[in-house]
Amino acid sequence: MDTASKGYNSKRLGIFSRFSEMRALIAAYRRSPEARVRNAIAEVLVAIAEIESALGKPLQDLDILEIGSGQHSLELAVLSNGNRAIGIDQENCDDRLNVRNVLRTMKTDGFIRTAKTVVRKSMGFDKAKRKEFLRQRGIASFPKLTIMQMDAESMSFPSNSFDVIFSGAVFEHIANPEQALRESARVLRPGGVFNCGFHLYTSDSGCHDARIFANR
Ligand SMILES: C[S@@+](CC[C@H](N)C(=O)[O-])C[C@H]1O[C@@H](n2cnc3c(N)ncnc32)[C@H](O)[C@@H]1O
């Protein structure tokens, strides 16, 4: 695989694949938010158990970085409980649906990402997901999160800034994962833990291939 200049799933999709992908995504979002939220929480709880076992202490009162926290940020919301947690993402993760924010997303992330975000938000999928998150976690309001727009390959944090780094379903998207790993090692304190989960390469364009999404 050539990762020198682009991520493995940066292959351009034609209009039919895009349409297929959009339909499959909407169908996936329509399916029970209950199960999707439960899975997301379960995955991050497994990661937390692994991190605590590697650290030899509870995940409390620590500086945590999530790489590629995305627009849903449920994992960051769990990690931030009792810790100082920051997320970074190369895309605009400001979740307000207004003209200014849509234009900003268009400028930084392009038309496809903007269209997906607008559809998700205007159809209420994000709202339903957050509401379900509050219900499952038994909390009244979603925690205030800090998410910075930043490339994992070139982070602006000083060296030795974090006790823990967490990343899920991101490294397969990064154009130069080796550089992102070097950066992760730089910002992680000695004795720190990096918990990194990613999809395996199952095809030319990986698990995020629209044909797989659309069951073809
Ligand atoms: C499949 S999403 C996963 C989001 C979230 N971690 C989750 O599990 O729901 C991949 C995320 O990685 C981000 N990403 C890709 N390349 C990145 C990079 N070089 N630096 C920071 N974030 C990146 C994307 O913008 C996207 O939000």
mmCIF file of all heavy atoms in Angstrom, residues 1-8 153 174-178 201:
data_model
loop_
_atom_site.group_PDB
_atom_site.id
_atom_site.type_symbol
_atom_site.label_atom_id
_atom_site.label_comp_id
_atom_site.label_asym_id
_atom_site.label_seq_id
_atom_site.Cartn_x
_atom_site.Cartn_y
_atom_site.Cartn_z
ATOM 1 N N MET A 1 0.834 -1.205 0.000
ATOM 2 C CA MET A 1 0.000 0.000 0.000
ATOM 3 C C MET A 1 0.869 1.255 0.000
ATOM 4 O O MET A 1 1.823 1.333 0.768
ATOM 5 C CB MET A 1 -0.872 -0.007 1.253
ATOM 6 C CG MET A 1 -1.772 1.204 1.304
ATOM 7 S SD MET A 1 -2.603 1.347 2.879
ATOM 8 C CE MET A 1 -1.225 1.467 3.991
ATOM 9 N N ASP A 2 0.539 2.180 -0.859
ATOM 10 C CA ASP A 2 1.285 3.426 -0.894
ATOM 11 C C ASP A 2 0.623 4.453 0.020
ATOM 12 O O ASP A 2 -0.467 4.933 -0.235
ATOM 13 C CB ASP A 2 1.309 3.941 -2.337
ATOM 14 C CG ASP A 2 1.911 5.330 -2.408
ATOM 15 O OD1 ASP A 2 2.602 5.720 -1.455
ATOM 16 O OD2 ASP A 2 1.676 6.015 -3.424
ATOM 17 N N THR A 3 1.273 4.769 1.119
ATOM 18 C CA THR A 3 0.683 5.762 2.029
ATOM 19 C C THR A 3 1.449 7.081 1.942
ATOM 20 O O THR A 3 1.292 7.948 2.768
ATOM 21 C CB THR A 3 0.717 5.285 3.486
ATOM 22 O OG1 THR A 3 2.056 4.980 3.822
ATOM 23 C CG2 THR A 3 -0.171 4.091 3.717
ATOM 24 N N ALA A 4 2.323 7.180 0.920
ATOM 25 C CA ALA A 4 3.190 8.353 0.871
ATOM 26 C C ALA A 4 2.431 9.653 0.685
ATOM 27 O O ALA A 4 2.784 10.670 1.239
ATOM 28 C CB ALA A 4 4.209 8.180 -0.244
ATOM 29 N N SER A 5 1.349 9.614 -0.090
ATOM 30 C CA SER A 5 0.723 10.894 -0.380
ATOM 31 C C SER A 5 -0.764 10.956 -0.085
ATOM 32 O O SER A 5 -1.347 12.015 -0.108
ATOM 33 C CB SER A 5 0.951 11.231 -1.860
ATOM 34 O OG SER A 5 0.396 10.191 -2.628
ATOM 35 N N LYS A 6 -1.400 9.803 0.184
ATOM 36 C CA LYS A 6 -2.828 9.859 0.448
ATOM 37 C C LYS A 6 -3.274 8.647 1.257
ATOM 38 O O LYS A 6 -2.630 7.611 1.253
ATOM 39 C CB LYS A 6 -3.607 9.920 -0.858
ATOM 40 C CG LYS A 6 -3.309 8.777 -1.789
ATOM 41 C CD LYS A 6 -4.049 8.931 -3.091
ATOM 42 C CE LYS A 6 -3.763 7.728 -3.975
ATOM 43 N NZ LYS A 6 -4.553 7.672 -5.155
ATOM 44 N N GLY A 7 -4.402 8.773 1.945
ATOM 45 C CA GLY A 7 -4.933 7.672 2.721
ATOM 46 C C GLY A 7 -5.441 6.576 1.811
ATOM 47 O O GLY A 7 -5.763 6.818 0.654
ATOM 48 N N TYR A 8 -5.552 5.355 2.333
ATOM 49 C CA TYR A 8 -5.930 4.243 1.479
ATOM 50 C C TYR A 8 -7.360 4.363 0.985
ATOM 51 O O TYR A 8 -7.737 3.762 0.002
ATOM 52 C CB TYR A 8 -5.741 2.913 2.215
ATOM 53 C CG TYR A 8 -6.860 2.608 3.177
ATOM 54 C CD1 TYR A 8 -7.914 1.790 2.794
ATOM 55 C CD2 TYR A 8 -6.867 3.159 4.451
ATOM 56 C CE1 TYR A 8 -8.943 1.517 3.648
ATOM 57 C CE2 TYR A 8 -7.897 2.897 5.313
ATOM 58 C CZ TYR A 8 -8.932 2.075 4.918
ATOM 59 O OH TYR A 8 -9.948 1.814 5.773
ATOM 60 N N GLU A 153 -0.721 14.558 11.949
ATOM 61 C CA GLU A 153 0.653 14.463 11.457
ATOM 62 C C GLU A 153 1.508 15.642 11.904
ATOM 63 O O GLU A 153 2.731 15.619 11.779
ATOM 64 C CB GLU A 153 0.651 14.400 9.918
ATOM 65 C CG GLU A 153 0.074 13.120 9.388
ATOM 66 C CD GLU A 153 0.097 13.091 7.877
ATOM 67 O OE1 GLU A 153 0.987 13.712 7.271
ATOM 68 O OE2 GLU A 153 -0.795 12.450 7.296
ATOM 69 N N ILE A 174 -5.488 8.286 7.825
ATOM 70 C CA ILE A 174 -4.404 9.269 7.845
ATOM 71 C C ILE A 174 -3.448 9.039 6.673
ATOM 72 O O ILE A 174 -3.035 7.903 6.403
ATOM 73 C CB ILE A 174 -3.672 9.220 9.206
ATOM 74 C CG1 ILE A 174 -4.650 9.643 10.313
ATOM 75 C CG2 ILE A 174 -2.436 10.102 9.204
ATOM 76 C CD1 ILE A 174 -4.064 9.652 11.703
ATOM 77 N N ALA A 175 -3.135 10.128 5.986
ATOM 78 C CA ALA A 175 -2.314 10.018 4.777
ATOM 79 C C ALA A 175 -0.950 9.411 5.095
ATOM 80 O O ALA A 175 -0.466 8.547 4.374
ATOM 81 C CB ALA A 175 -2.165 11.394 4.148
ATOM 82 N N ASN A 176 -0.342 9.847 6.182
ATOM 83 C CA ASN A 176 0.990 9.371 6.523
ATOM 84 C C ASN A 176 0.974 8.907 7.982
ATOM 85 O O ASN A 176 1.373 9.648 8.882
ATOM 86 C CB ASN A 176 1.993 10.518 6.308
ATOM 87 C CG ASN A 176 3.417 10.062 6.497
ATOM 88 O OD1 ASN A 176 3.679 8.988 7.054
ATOM 89 N ND2 ASN A 176 4.353 10.876 6.057
ATOM 90 N N PRO A 177 0.479 7.671 8.206
ATOM 91 C CA PRO A 177 0.318 7.207 9.596
ATOM 92 C C PRO A 177 1.634 7.145 10.376
ATOM 93 O O PRO A 177 1.637 7.320 11.594
ATOM 94 C CB PRO A 177 -0.322 5.826 9.450
ATOM 95 C CG PRO A 177 -0.225 5.462 8.019
ATOM 96 C CD PRO A 177 -0.009 6.700 7.226
ATOM 97 N N GLU A 178 2.743 6.904 9.647
ATOM 98 C CA GLU A 178 4.037 6.846 10.354
ATOM 99 C C GLU A 178 4.334 8.186 11.024
ATOM 100 O O GLU A 178 4.797 8.255 12.162
ATOM 101 C CB GLU A 178 5.191 6.520 9.377
ATOM 102 C CG GLU A 178 5.052 5.179 8.679
ATOM 103 C CD GLU A 178 4.289 5.250 7.362
ATOM 104 O OE1 GLU A 178 3.496 6.216 7.158
ATOM 105 O OE2 GLU A 178 4.464 4.349 6.539
ATOM 106 N N TYR A 201 -7.314 -3.509 6.660
ATOM 107 C CA TYR A 201 -7.450 -3.249 5.227
ATOM 108 C C TYR A 201 -8.103 -4.458 4.574
ATOM 109 O O TYR A 201 -7.480 -5.484 4.395
ATOM 110 C CB TYR A 201 -6.076 -3.007 4.610
ATOM 111 C CG TYR A 201 -5.367 -1.854 5.228
ATOM 112 C CD1 TYR A 201 -4.285 -2.059 6.076
ATOM 113 C CD2 TYR A 201 -5.779 -0.555 4.985
ATOM 114 C CE1 TYR A 201 -3.641 -0.985 6.656
ATOM 115 C CE2 TYR A 201 -5.143 0.517 5.568
ATOM 116 C CZ TYR A 201 -4.063 0.296 6.410
ATOM 117 O OH TYR A 201 -3.421 1.343 6.990
#
